[in-house]
Amino acid sequence: MAITSANQLELLQTAEAVAREKMIDPNLVVEAMEESLARAAKSRYGSEMDIRVHIDRKTGKATFTRVRTVVADEELENYQAELTVDQAKQYMPDPEIGSEITDEVPPVELGRIAAQSAKQVILQKVREAERDRQYDEFKDRAGTIINGVVKREEYGNVIVDIGRGEGILRRNEKIGRETYRPNDRVRCFIKDVRREARGPQVFLSRTAPEFMSELFKMEVPEIYDGIIEIKAVARDPGSRAKIAVISNDGSIDPVGACVGMRGSRVQAVVNELQGEKIDIIPWNEDAPTFLVNALQPAEVSKVVLDDDAGKIEVVVPDEQLSLAIGRRGQNVRLASQLTGLDIDILTEAEESERRQKEFAIRTKLFMDNLDLDEFFAQLLVSEGFTNLEEVAYVEVDELLVIDGVDEATAGELQARARDVLEAANLKALENARALGVLDSLVEFDGLTPQMIEALAQDDVKSLEDFATCADWELAGGWTTINGERHKDEGLLEKFDMSLEEAQTLVMTARIQLGWVDPAELDASEEDVDGETEEAEA
């Protein structure tokens, strides 16, 4: 690919040939040639000069020009490529800073070394253009299915020819123990496309939940047309999967449409996924109802939902326990991924035993702290009282509904409960001060003495320490890692503090310390509210 100035048309012929071979724009190749010729000219005339080359797109003639830029007197550094306003007046009548003076210079003959250097520049530019083309082509196809041909296997990873590039199907993205031989055809999901130094990397997957969604979209016309919507997918690749669907047309059964005549549609997906069993479940906005569907084929007796903790308890008949859990916990794990809830499964016998245990613990709490006999304490628990705070600060009318409780008895119960709570508060505050808690935290409104003690035990001893806490550090939360939910314990979670309450307390502390301007906070909230209203409109 050596370039000579003698044969000008050869430049264009070379550019077109390379462009055709690499399937890129010929202009990119010509621009690379212009840059390589300019670099060769600089080595001849001087590296400090600003030499530019223009190749005529029709004739192939290369024009070499020297460009000098007009700069301010104090900015003049490169005398070969810059000149002052006074110096420029001999070349133009009214020069301005930033103006350019262009002079044509004789073309250079490319020697062997210069030609080799020019070739390297052109090849580099062509490679970059080819990589850009591949990246632009595949980045828009991320999230779709592609058919490819296996080229080779490297350390368990499969390299797949996907047309104008290669994709990599990593070992952990293959279903089960799939093995491939060269020239095998394979269908994959384009999980990610990244621009890297060695070129665009296309990462493929056959285990991604989206792969199953796209397969159903191909097999079920109603999903492709938007009549049926896939709301959630959970997979144990190669073994079992659950997919939740809903129909936007009341006359069409979403589950039946996905199953197809005699199971033809779902069977096509199963065959592609190496026999993976698929449960198709009707989606429901009501979380407990959806969970009952998700745990099929197991039957559910009762569901108790805890929205704040994102947790749900499911009670099943004793004989249904193994079916609900599934082999190695597979059924409940997939149901948890599908619903996004942490699921605890109990048998009816276990739930009854737990209720009795909780009843006994609360009864003992009231007996020990309020000096009550067992029968009276059981009456309190039966009416729904769970702790001393509820007894101390509830409306008197709620105590009067208990058999045998008059106003005097109710007043005595509340007085005893308040005395116990005040003593506990004093003890907690003493313990917190012994741990080194400062007055700034003790006097902060919104924290009970027990909360302050719990914070002090975790080395949160001042208002500044408290203001640096995140809301989830206080209230707890859930983190999803590799599709599994993990519990983050909060410092104040045992006091039933919600994320919203924690967020409000932390923000109040920051305002009191002057870290946050309330006016700016109000303005930002108004902006958010305005955007929300616009979106709703």
Side-chain angles (χ1 to χ4, degrees), residues 93-142:
D94 190 19
E96 295 180 355
I97 292 175
S99 301
E100 292 183 343
I101 298 170
T102 305
D103 301 315
E104 189 169 342
V105 296
V108 297
E109 294 289 339
L110 296 187
R112 182 177 61 83
I113 295 176
Q116 190 66 24
S117 175
K119 180 179 179 181
Q120 292 300 324
V121 171
I122 293 170
L123 288 175
Q124 178 65 26
K125 288 289 184 182
V126 168
R127 276 196 292 268
E128 290 175 2
E130 190 177 13
R131 288 170 181 171
D132 288 341
R133 177 193 57 75
Q134 288 180 353
Y135 178 75
D136 291 338
E137 177 180 348
F138 288 109
K139 71 172 182 179
D140 295 329
R141 298 183 66 181

Side-chain angles (χ1 to χ4, degrees), residues 46-61:
S47 60
E48 292 188 348
M49 285 192 180
D50 184 3
I51 303 292
R52 301 179 190 178
V53 178
H54 174 71
I55 298 176
D56 190 290
R57 284 357 184 220
K58 292 182 179 178
T59 65
K61 181 181 178 182

Side-chain angles (χ1 to χ4, degrees), residues 181-227:
R181 291 174 294 184
N183 299 321
D184 281 354
R185 296 197 64 81
V186 61
R187 182 183 286 179
C188 301
F189 177 77
I190 300 180
K191 191 173 184 179
D192 193 15
V193 181
R194 299 179 200 160
R195 191 196 294 271
E196 297 185 1
R198 56 182 175 174
Q201 297 293 300
V202 182
F203 295 95
L204 308 176
S205 175
R206 286 175 56 78
T207 62
E210 297 88 352
F211 183 45
M212 177 181 286
S213 299
E214 291 298 312
L215 288 174
F216 269 103
K217 190 181 292 185
M218 294 169 67
E219 296 294 336
V220 183
E222 291 87 347
I223 295 177
Y224 182 83
D225 293 336
I227 299 172

Side-chain angles (χ1 to χ4, degrees), residues 181-464:
R181 291 174 294 184
N183 299 321
D184 281 354
R185 296 197 64 81
V186 61
R187 182 183 286 179
C188 301
F189 177 77
I190 300 180
K191 191 173 184 179
D192 193 15
V193 181
R194 299 179 200 160
R195 191 196 294 271
E196 297 185 1
R198 56 182 175 174
Q201 297 293 300
V202 182
F203 295 95
L204 308 176
S205 175
R206 286 175 56 78
T207 62
E210 297 88 352
F211 183 45
M212 177 181 286
S213 299
E214 291 298 312
L215 288 174
F216 269 103
K217 190 181 292 185
M218 294 169 67
E219 296 294 336
V220 183
E222 291 87 347
I223 295 177
Y224 182 83
D225 293 336
I227 299 172
I228 293 175
E229 185 179 350
I230 298 174
K231 300 292 285 187
V233 179
R235 291 183 64 191
D236 192 349
S239 177
R240 191 169 181 181
K242 292 178 183 284
I243 180 169
V245 292
I246 187 171
S247 175
N248 296 319
D249 185 340
S251 64
I252 295 178
D253 172 27
V255 175
C258 291
V259 171
M261 187 73 68
R262 296 181 182 176
S264 58
R265 291 175 173 177
V266 71
Q267 193 58 46
V269 178
V270 168
N271 293 340
E272 178 62 43
L273 299 177
Q274 305 294 321
E276 191 171 314
K277 294 181 178 63
I278 302 173
D279 296 334
I280 303 173
I281 296 160
W283 188 81
N284 197 298
E285 287 186 4
D286 182 55
T289 304
F290 181 34
L291 181 60
V292 170
N293 295 338
L295 280 171
Q296 292 176 359
E299 297 176 6
V300 176
S301 303
K302 187 168 72 173
V303 175
V304 181
L305 176 64
D306 185 348
D307 284 321
D308 291 336
K311 186 177 179 180
I312 201 161
E313 284 185 351
V314 176
V315 181
V316 298
D318 293 17
E319 67 276 6
Q320 292 281 317
L321 181 62
S322 60
L323 191 61
I325 294 174
R327 187 177 60 183
R328 297 178 183 173
Q330 186 185 65
N331 192 52
V332 68
R333 184 172 67 252
L334 291 175
S336 179
Q337 292 175 16
L338 199 70
T339 58
L341 296 166
D342 187 45
I343 302 171
D344 285 342
I345 294 186
L346 303 172
T347 64
E348 291 175 342
E350 288 172 338
E351 195 221 5
S352 174
E353 182 183 344
R354 192 189 66 178
R355 280 207 314 265
Q356 290 174 5
K357 189 179 294 184
E358 287 178 352
F359 189 88
I361 290 171
R362 290 169 183 169
T363 300
K364 189 173 187 309
L365 172 72
F366 293 140
M367 289 173 62
D368 293 346
N369 289 281
L370 300 181
D371 193 22
L372 302 176
D373 60 32
E374 185 178 9
F375 178 73
F376 205 110
Q378 287 176 346
L379 281 177
L380 280 177
V381 178
S382 300
E383 288 297 327
F385 291 95
T386 60
N387 55 53
L388 295 174
E389 285 83 357
E390 290 178 358
V391 175
Y393 302 111
V394 76
E395 294 291 334
V396 176
D397 292 345
E398 295 190 34
L399 289 170
L400 295 177
V401 299
I402 302 173
D403 288 340
V405 176
D406 53 22
E407 289 191 9
T409 306
E412 177 63 23
L413 278 175
Q414 289 195 316
R416 290 182 187 180
R418 288 169 184 166
D419 289 342
V420 172
L421 289 174
E422 286 175 11
N425 288 344
L426 287 172
K427 180 67 175 173
L429 210 52
E430 286 177 10
N431 293 339
R433 289 194 183 280
L435 291 169
V437 165
L438 301 181
D439 289 341
S440 61
L441 189 61
V442 173
E443 295 166 2
F444 180 66
D445 194 22
L447 295 176
T448 66
Q450 284 83 2
M451 290 180 183
I452 294 169
E453 182 184 17
L455 290 170
Q457 289 169 349
D458 207 78
D459 210 32
V460 178
K461 300 178 181 179
S462 67
L463 192 59
E464 286 81 1

